[in-house]
């Protein structure tokens, strides 16, 4: 049982830089929470404050209902896996994993049992006598995880643990860590700047940007209903397409006018907009690459919702093709079935799935549809 | 073909140079050895001989037997080992703090620390001596060892700090989360990792202290029983005549411990000088 609660937590580094500003979130017991965001947004700082490696400038941190702001790191019952693994180079793998138990004066037999158990889970039994420098990157990563799990801590913290691994190993470790979470049933907080890791591993994701939390939600909810233009652009790969435009109402129908084209909005969009964004005229329209179609395949498309574009780049991905197209001043990414035959320079009429558009206020980036 | 000749010449030149340097370095040592086997009258002749006419090992026996050699030797061992211990302890702790802790004025303190101790001991002789008199430490072992430790600290702190700076902070943070106090971090992480530096500092300090002469002579001014070896064997150097064979035999014996330490620790020391980062 361990829930971690941050209440209006801020971090101001000596020198006055505010790395984390007024962050509040509740991480539930046994939850796998992901902190994601671009470099420098304050992810590591947040994690390090939870760990007790960094002091909290203001706000409260509660673990299991107790305020722990002033509890030293070693007494918070938290384990952390670092990006560069931070294994003790002079100790064997066994000693690396046993160290924390040793420091806490566990009996020898218990230490041995726990370390061997963890080594078994992580496939490290054969290397227990070796030193870290003789292990591969993936093995070191596992040792770092093993060192955390032998302690059976209340909370696990991970700071970009996979970023030093090659792509294939990263995919594998991703799955292993997810399995581990199921197996251990412990609260985990995981920092990454890789939105694929965030989407695939997390129960919930907190998106950070410029020292603030932008949105916290389940992965698919975040994908389908981003609360801001930043989140919409950050989550999803390839990224969402954006067009700037003005809302116009003509004869009880609503249009989005942009340079070079005009799109007719659906009645439900209009209703939704009436609720969330009255009087807003300057907007950003967002559309995910998989919701952009070649008009040839959509015979029923209204002529008024067609975007004339030119193919700039063709990226075959195997199962599908990513197209980069130019439409006036905009660059658009489209995700299409692999059987479309296109060549660079070719003209193509695009159709947007108007049911799946997102609208954001142009200045603030706030989502207007709900 | 041309390259071959060029390479050959280049190789030969560097070998000749190395040989010359070696000879220059080794000559005094060899001369000391050769003299230590000679008889007094052979030394005093105007003809210099390299190879002694007869090898007189009894010079060594005399030195050991007559010159309180054992006592001086033990004094030297005592001063040297305590100084090495002191330097290792204080330097590694100070360097740990300078390297891994932030406090107001840390940089300034570091440079003051290093800078003040860069003043060589002879430069501070008179104030040091007065200080020791006031502390009642003249003619005591402590009075010698404290300045000795001080004289070794600056360089040692510098070496340790350079090494500690390369140890990633995450390693210490991991240890902290694993339940280490600052002291345990120092004991269980920093010190074991710093083995090469411990060896390097030990050798340099031991050599300097074992061979130190002037300070010991001054501080033990009226306690000859506390003389270290280097001062003790100088009894063979008289005001009017110097007993070179015995002096050289004593010096020869005095070099042996340093040689042994060097050979034992040299492997680590080279690591200590060349190794920078430790990558986990
Ligand atoms: N000790 C420090 N003193 C001053 N500023 C710091 C300190 N540590 C981090 N910062 C600043 O705080 C901001 C947030 O840093 P943080 O390490 O939390 O970012 P991050 O989200 O983890 O980024 P990354 O993905 O690059 O690891 C950065 O702008 C960084 O420069
Ligand atoms: Mg970081």
């Amino acid at each position: 049982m361990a829930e971690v609660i941050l209440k209006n937590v801020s971090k101001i580094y000596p020198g006055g830089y505010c790395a984390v500003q007024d962050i509040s979130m509740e991480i539930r017991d046994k939850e796998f929470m992901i902190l994601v965001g671009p470099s420098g947004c304050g992810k590591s700082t947040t994690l390090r404050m939870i760990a007790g490696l960094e002091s909290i400038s203001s706000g409260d941190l509660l673990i299991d209902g107790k305020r722990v702001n002033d509890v030293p790191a070693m007494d918070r019952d938290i384990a952390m896996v670092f990006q560069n693994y931070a294994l003790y180079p002079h100790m064997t793998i066994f000693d690396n994993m046993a160290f924390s138990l040793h420091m806490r004066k566990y009996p020898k037999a218990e230490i041995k049992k726990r370390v061997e158990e963890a080594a078994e889970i992580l496939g490290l039994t054969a290397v227990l006598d070796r030193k870290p420098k003789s292990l591969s990157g993936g093995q070191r990563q596992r040792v770092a995880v093993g060192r955390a799990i032998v302690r059976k801590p209340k909370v696990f913290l991970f700071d970009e643990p996979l970023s030093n691994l090659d792509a294939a190993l990263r995919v594998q470790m991703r799955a292993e860590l997810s399995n581990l979470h199921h197996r251990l049933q412990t609260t985990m907080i995981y920092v990454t700047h890789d939105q694929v890791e965030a989407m695939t591993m997390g129960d919930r994701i907190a998106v950070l940007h410029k020292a603030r939390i932008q949105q916290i939600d389940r992965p698919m909810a975040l994908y389908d209903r981003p609360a801001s233009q930043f989140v919409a652009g950050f989550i999803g790969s390839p990224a969402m397409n954006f067009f700037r435009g003005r809302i116009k109402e003509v004869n009880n129908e609503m249009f989005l006018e942009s340079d070079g084209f005009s799109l007719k909005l659906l009645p439900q969009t209009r209703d939704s907009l009436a609720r969330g964004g009255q009087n807003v005229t300057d907007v950003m329209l967002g559309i995910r690459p998989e919701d952009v179609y070649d008009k040839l395949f959509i015979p029923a498309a209204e002529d008024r919702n067609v975007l004339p574009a030119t193919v700039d780049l063709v990226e075959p991905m195997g199962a599908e093709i990513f197209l980069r197209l130019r439409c006036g001043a905009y660059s658009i990414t489209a995700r299409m079935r692999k059987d479309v035959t296109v060549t660079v320079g070719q003209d193509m009429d695009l159709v947007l799935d108007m049911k799946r558009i997102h609208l954001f206020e142009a200045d603030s980036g706030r989502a207007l549809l709900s | 073909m041309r390259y071959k000749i060029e390479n050959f010449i280049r190789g030969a030149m560097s070998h000749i140079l190395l040989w010359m340097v070696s000879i220059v370095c080794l000559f005094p040592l060899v001369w000391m050895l050769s003299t230590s086997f000679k008889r007094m009258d052979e030394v005093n002749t105007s003809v210099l001989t390299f190879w002694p006419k007869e090898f007189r090992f009894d010079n060594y026996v005399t030195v050991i037997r007559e010159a309180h050699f054992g006592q001086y030797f033990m004094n030297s061992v005592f001063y040297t080992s305590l100084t090495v211990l002191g330097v290792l302890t204080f330097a590694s702790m100070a360097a740990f703090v300078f390297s891994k802790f932030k406090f107001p004025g840390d940089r300034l303190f570091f440079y003051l620390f290093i800078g003040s101790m860069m003043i060589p001991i002879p430069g501070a002789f008179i104030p040091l001596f007065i200080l020791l008199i006031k502390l009642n430490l003249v003619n005591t072992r402590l009075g010698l060892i404290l300045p000795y430790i001080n004289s070794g600290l600056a360089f040692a702190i510098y070496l340790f700090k350079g090494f500690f700076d390369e140890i990633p902070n995450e390693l210490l943070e991991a240890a902290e989360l694993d339940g280490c106090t600052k002291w345990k971090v120092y004991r269980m992480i920093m010190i074991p990792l710093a083995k090469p530096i411990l060896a390097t500092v030990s050798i340099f300090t031991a050599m300097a202290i074992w061979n130190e002469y002037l300070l010991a002579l001054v501080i033990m001014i009226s306690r000859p029983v506390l003389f270290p070896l280097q001062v003790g064997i100088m009894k063979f150097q008289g005001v009017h005549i110097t007993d070179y064979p015995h002096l050289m035999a004593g010096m020869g014996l005095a070099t042996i411990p340093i040689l042994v330490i060097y050979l034992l620790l040299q492997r680590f020391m080279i690591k200590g000088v060349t190794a920078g980062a430790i990558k986990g």
Side-chain angles (χ1 to χ4, degrees), chain A residues 98-365:
Chain A
F99 190 67
S100 62
L101 302 178
H102 201 67
M103 285 292 112
R104 291 180 164 79
K105 306 230 164 15
Y106 278 70
K108 280 245 162 60
E110 172 73 9
I111 295 180
K112 192 160 154 25
K113 193 181 128 239
R114 286 206 193 180
V115 171
E116 279 168 1
E117 212 174 84
E120 185 68 42
I121 295 174
L122 296 163
L124 292 168
T125 311
V127 298
L128 281 177
D129 299 329
R130 294 218 234 142
K131 293 273 180 69
K133 70 167 172 293
S134 71
L135 300 192
S136 69
Q139 284 173 320
R140 286 180 205 183
Q141 180 55 60
R142 287 198 188 92
V143 177
V145 173
R147 196 166 65 176
I149 66 179
V150 290
R151 267 175 55 195
K152 307 191 174 154
K154 277 191 200 147
V155 182
F156 284 95
L157 307 178
F158 297 87
D159 194 352
E160 309 205 19
L162 306 185
S163 55
N164 284 353
L165 302 178
D166 64 50
L169 208 51
R170 200 150 44 198
V171 174
Q172 186 192 338
M173 284 303 294
R174 212 159 71 197
E176 284 185 28
L177 286 180
S178 288
N179 283 338
L180 198 69
H181 177 244
H182 282 293
R183 187 171 177 148
L184 299 176
Q185 291 291 317
T186 313
T187 313
M188 294 188 174
I189 307 174
Y190 186 106
V191 161
T192 178
H193 62 253
D194 176 0
Q195 51 92 21
V196 180
E197 267 172 41
M199 290 293 287
T200 52
M201 297 173 81
D203 291 328
R204 282 195 303 158
I205 301 175
V207 182
L208 274 77
H209 181 47
K210 294 193 175 153
R212 288 175 177 280
I213 289 189
Q214 304 292 315
Q215 190 175 2
I216 306 182
D217 216 330
R218 311 191 76 80
M220 284 319 285
L222 215 55
Y223 189 82
D224 290 333
R225 290 183 300 280
S228 67
Q229 191 190 340
F230 174 80
V231 174
F234 190 77
I235 299 289
S237 171
M240 187 183 278
N241 301 297
F242 293 105
F243 308 96
R244 200 183 172 108
R246 295 175 68 80
I247 301 282
K248 279 226 172 85
E249 198 150 1
V250 181
N251 297 337
N252 228 2
E253 288 192 325
M254 202 174 252
F255 294 90
L256 183 127
E257 305 268 358
S258 187
D259 36 328
F261 58 91
S262 159
L263 299 169
K264 189 176 132 199
L265 303 181
L266 298 176
Q268 65 256 41
T269 309
R270 206 182 68 182
D271 296 346
S272 185
L273 199 58
R275 270 178 275 127
Q278 263 176 322
N279 306 327
V280 178
T281 50
D282 281 330
V283 297
M284 278 286 184
L285 177 138
I287 184 94
R288 295 223 179 258
E290 63 266 32
D291 300 325
V292 177
Y293 296 91
D294 183 349
K295 182 167 177 287
L296 289 179
F297 295 91
I298 317 284
E302 272 189 68
D303 275 348
R304 292 152 86 180
N305 281 357
V306 168
L307 270 66
T310 316
V311 178
D312 258 352
L313 184 66
V314 181
E315 291 180 314
M317 302 303 290
E320 55 198 358
I321 294 181
F322 296 167
L323 299 182
R324 313 255 173 213
L325 306 107
R326 202 158 15 84
C327 170
Y330 296 107
S331 169
I332 308 173
T333 307
R335 190 170 188 158
M336 301 204 170
R337 284 165 38 192
K338 67 175 169 192
D339 43 2
V340 265
T341 46
V342 281
T343 49
V344 173
Q346 171 188 334
D347 287 334
M348 182 185 269
D349 284 340
L350 297 176
V351 176
L352 310 185
D353 183 347
M354 295 305 285
K355 287 194 300 298
R356 303 192 45 93
I357 63 166
H358 302 261
L359 288 178
F360 306 97
E361 193 174 19
D363 299 330
S364 68

Side-chain angles (χ1 to χ4, degrees), chain A residues 80-99:
Chain A
M80 181 157 170
V81 175
F82 293 85
Q83 178 174 2
N84 62 3
Y85 319 138
L87 304 181
Y88 311 122
H90 58 297
M91 297 184 196
T92 62
I93 301 311
F94 184 96
D95 291 337
N96 260 283
M97 299 215 274
F99 190 67

Side-chain angles (χ1 to χ4, degrees), chain A residues 13-14 17 19 37-46 54 159-160 191 193:
Chain A
Y13 277 113
Y17 185 79
S39 187
C41 68
K43 309 180 291 287
S44 297
T45 305
T46 307
E54 211 74 71
D159 194 352
E160 309 205 19
V191 161
H193 62 253

Side-chain angles (χ1 to χ4, degrees), chain B residues 75 78-79 82-83 128-129 131-149 212 215-228:
Chain B
N75 286 343
F78 183 78
Y79 301 143
L82 272 185
T83 304
L128 177 64
F129 196 68
L131 183 68
L132 289 175
I133 289 176
K134 292 202 166 144
L135 293 171
N136 265 331
L137 287 176
V138 176
N139 289 316
T140 64
R141 294 188 178 93
L142 192 62
L144 185 59
I145 290 172
L146 288 182
Y148 273 174
I149 291 177
E212 206 284 328
L215 192 66
L217 184 68
V218 172
I219 287 176
M220 297 307 178
I221 184 114
S222 44
R223 288 285 294 281
V225 276
L226 293 184
F227 278 170

Side-chain angles (χ1 to χ4, degrees), chain B residues 5-19:
Chain B
I5 294 172
E6 237 172 57
N7 272 342
F8 176 77
I9 293 176
R10 205 170 287 163
M13 297 264 278
S14 60
H15 272 94
I16 290 170
L17 193 73
L18 288 174
W19 270 109

